[in-house]
Amino acid sequence: KNEKNFKVSDFVEHLHAFLNAYLLVHARNRVGVVAISDSKSHLIRLPSLGGRDLCSSDASRSSGSGRNKRESVLDDLKNGLEQVYQKDYVKEVGDQGAENENGREGEGEGEEKHDGVALSAAYSRALCLLKRHQESVSGSVSGGGGYEAHQAGHEEGNNADEARQCQRLLFLSGSKDVPAQYIQVMNASFCAQKMNVIVDTFMLGGVDSSFLQQAATITGGIYTNFFSDDVAGSLSCISLSSYLVNLFLADPNTRKHLKLPQGHKSTNLKVSCFLTKKALDVGFVCSVCLSIFSQRLQTCAVCGTSFQESRAMKKKVLNRS
């Protein structure tokens, strides 16, 4: 399909099909959906999944299969996204209109302005969900005594190791990067690498994201922008759900035996200046905190280290492509 004909309702249905396929792969698989808006991230709770929903609270998990058994995962997705839209867009437009009518346009000068989506907030929140799930699985190993308890603990230990090895994040994004979030996104990517979390990205539009490309490279994930690839022009019709299943459903061990995309033809791994937030080919690197700047500084703006002539910032070539 062409990106211009792509509808949000179609996207939700394809996402629902992919979630169902992922849950059918293994009985211990869990999913969590985090929506990103211009101001913050939102947890999309799926009560119809019961304990297989990472975003639900502990009380709702223990209550069974959800509040209304007639509701499906698709209904939960639609309701959750509709609530996000009502809170962050409809309400915000209404509040701005009320302020303009009352003549209070000048009162919002001190408020924070958002130039793009809150990618770093959603990224960090998703990692917190995975960390909480990891600790809940590993915490169930302790307790009990005797041979049966030892066997149960051994099995739970294997489950905890499996959970740590197979944790993944999948970004479905169509937004541009926000330069001001570069440091936060890179910190989250290194945190994901330490947690053995694989970050995959599927771009829904023609625009690319250098931040998510770097996240996939750091964690060993897959980055693809189907609508900007050459293969999109050779296909008259493609199902998004089948593409997601074939590309992202396989676990890391299985991917080693599959022929999958190894990257993107326009991969952009340029770093950004910590002050100007602009992409750099050549920059100056702090020898203490490894911060990167577009010009030589006497004092690091991040860690405050003062440099003498013998320990001045070194000029580094950051991108050789």
Side-chain angles (χ1 to χ4, degrees):
K1 289 184 178 181
N2 193 309
E3 59 202 296
K4 297 181 180 179
N5 300 327
F6 192 75
K7 300 180 181 178
V8 178
S9 58
D10 296 335
F11 161 72
V12 176
E13 293 180 358
H14 289 296
L15 176 59
H16 171 238
F18 175 74
L19 292 178
N20 284 339
Y22 180 77
L23 292 173
L24 286 173
V25 170
H26 201 285
R28 297 194 184 97
N29 282 357
R30 305 289 185 271
V31 296
V33 180
V34 181
I36 312 175
S37 65
D38 291 341
S39 58
K40 55 185 177 181
S41 60
H42 304 266
L43 298 180
I44 306 299
R45 291 180 169 82
L46 308 174
S48 57
L49 290 180
R52 307 189 73 178
D53 178 26
L54 295 178
C55 298
S56 299
S57 60
D58 295 336
S60 61
R61 292 181 193 178
S62 59
S63 62
S65 59
R67 288 170 288 183
N68 189 354
K69 294 184 178 180
R70 295 183 179 180
E71 292 185 356
S72 62
V73 179
L74 181 59
D75 295 331
D76 293 336
L77 283 174
K78 291 181 177 180
N79 294 335
L81 294 176
E82 183 178 0
Q83 292 177 5
V84 172
Y85 177 76
Q86 293 291 338
K87 289 180 180 179
D88 274 21
Y89 295 98
V90 177
K91 184 179 179 180
E92 182 178 354
V93 172
D95 294 342
Q96 291 178 354
E99 290 182 1
N100 293 335
E101 292 179 359
N102 295 333
R104 294 180 295 171
E105 295 87 345
E107 295 183 3
E109 294 179 356
E111 296 180 357
E112 181 182 1
K113 295 182 180 180
H114 302 276
D115 298 329
V117 296
L119 175 63
S120 59
Y123 198 169
S124 303
R125 199 166 191 176
L127 291 177
C128 290
L129 287 176
L130 294 177
K131 183 64 175 179
R132 184 180 68 175
H133 172 64
Q134 178 180 332
E135 291 181 349
S136 64
V137 173
S138 59
S140 61
V141 177
S142 59
Y147 176 76
E148 295 181 356
H150 173 74
Q151 290 295 107
H154 179 70
E155 294 178 359
E156 292 292 340
N158 294 336
N159 296 341
D161 294 337
E162 182 181 353
R164 284 191 292 268
Q165 295 175 0
C166 297
Q167 292 185 129
R168 285 180 282 168
L169 284 179
L170 173 60
F171 283 98
L172 301 174
S173 175
S175 304
K176 297 181 180 180
D177 291 331
V178 181
Q181 300 182 21
Y182 175 76
I183 300 177
Q184 294 87 337
V185 173
M186 290 300 102
N187 288 339
S189 298
F190 289 118
C191 180
Q193 182 187 41
K194 188 175 182 179
M195 294 172 56
N196 294 325
V197 175
I198 294 179
V199 179
D200 298 324
T201 299
F202 181 85
M203 298 301 294
L204 296 172
V207 63
D208 278 316
S209 171
S210 62
F211 293 176
L212 295 178
Q213 289 183 44
Q214 295 182 50
T217 302
I218 292 172
T219 60
I222 299 174
Y223 176 92
T224 180
N225 190 339
F226 178 79
F227 293 114
S228 66
D229 287 342
D230 295 335
V231 68
S234 61
L235 298 177
S236 58
C237 183
I238 183 67
S239 173
L240 177 60
S241 57
S242 61
Y243 192 83
L244 292 174
V245 168
N246 291 326
L247 196 61
F248 299 109
L249 187 63
D251 59 83
N253 294 328
T254 307
R255 290 182 181 182
K256 299 177 182 178
H257 307 284
L258 300 178
K259 187 177 180 180
L260 299 174
Q262 299 300 320
H264 194 256
K265 62 179 181 180
S266 60
T267 300
N268 181 9
L269 299 180
K270 288 186 178 181
V271 299
S272 299
C273 174
F274 281 33
L275 292 180
T276 63
K277 312 302 181 184
K278 295 181 179 180
L280 301 175
D281 291 325
V282 179
F284 297 89
V285 182
C286 173
S287 59
V288 177
C289 65
L290 302 181
S291 301
I292 302 171
F293 305 98
S294 58
Q295 58 184 356
R296 189 189 301 272
L297 302 176
Q298 296 298 327
T299 303
C300 179
V302 176
C303 64
T305 301
S306 298
F307 298 99
Q308 301 175 356
E309 291 298 329
S310 59
R311 297 183 56 199
M313 286 186 173
K314 303 299 182 181
K315 190 175 183 180
K316 300 290 185 181
V317 177
L318 304 174
N319 185 33
R320 299 182 182 274
S321 60

